[in-house]
Amino acid sequence: MSLEEEEEDDAKKTKIKTEEKKKKKKEKQKCITITLTSRNKRKTITNVAGFEHFSSTFQDGNLKEVAKTLGKKFACGCSVTKGATNQDEIDLQGDYGEQIKEILVQKWKMEEELVVVVDKSKK
């Protein structure tokens, strides 16, 4: 192999690697994220975000219905708010990460891999 052929092969390999990284980022972003954060010392807030990727399942009116269902199910305060990215999110008062994941999978037919629970609370 000549020097030029080796350089072309290296360029192709780096191009393929960058494309794979971009695909992974896109795949990683398209999920519903359930974040648990602590407030004060013992209070926990559960934040559910990422509904904009699933607009066929969750429209604006349907998101309010989801919040109402979750609020009734867990008997807690629940609301639809605008998040930091100016997208709709659901906030619940309490620690309900895994239970919300189960409800989204069962009732709204979400794939289990697309629902991620992140714990940022100070325990």
Side-chain angles (χ1 to χ4, degrees), residues 15-100:
K15 185 177 179 182
I16 291 171
K17 286 181 182 179
T18 56
E19 288 175 1
E20 289 176 358
K21 287 180 182 179
K22 287 180 183 178
K23 286 181 184 178
K24 286 182 181 179
K25 283 185 179 181
K26 287 181 182 178
E27 290 175 6
K28 194 181 266 189
Q29 292 174 355
K30 293 185 179 180
C31 64
I32 292 182
T33 307
I34 302 171
T35 309
L36 305 171
T37 55
S38 64
R39 186 182 65 119
N40 297 339
K41 292 186 181 179
R42 288 180 255 148
K43 307 285 184 182
T44 304
I45 295 176
T46 304
N47 182 286
V48 187
F51 293 105
E52 66 272 4
H53 302 297
F54 305 98
S55 59
S56 61
T57 308
F58 303 104
Q59 290 92 18
D60 291 335
N62 195 7
L63 201 57
K64 291 179 183 178
E65 183 181 314
V66 173
K68 190 174 184 178
T69 304
L70 293 175
K72 285 183 179 180
K73 169 78 177 167
F74 300 119
C76 67
C78 184
S79 63
V80 177
T81 59
K82 292 280 186 191
T85 59
N86 206 19
Q87 299 292 335
D88 286 337
E89 301 177 343
I90 296 177
D91 291 332
L92 288 101
Q93 295 177 358
D95 183 3
Y96 303 110
E98 291 298 325
Q99 291 120 340
I100 292 174

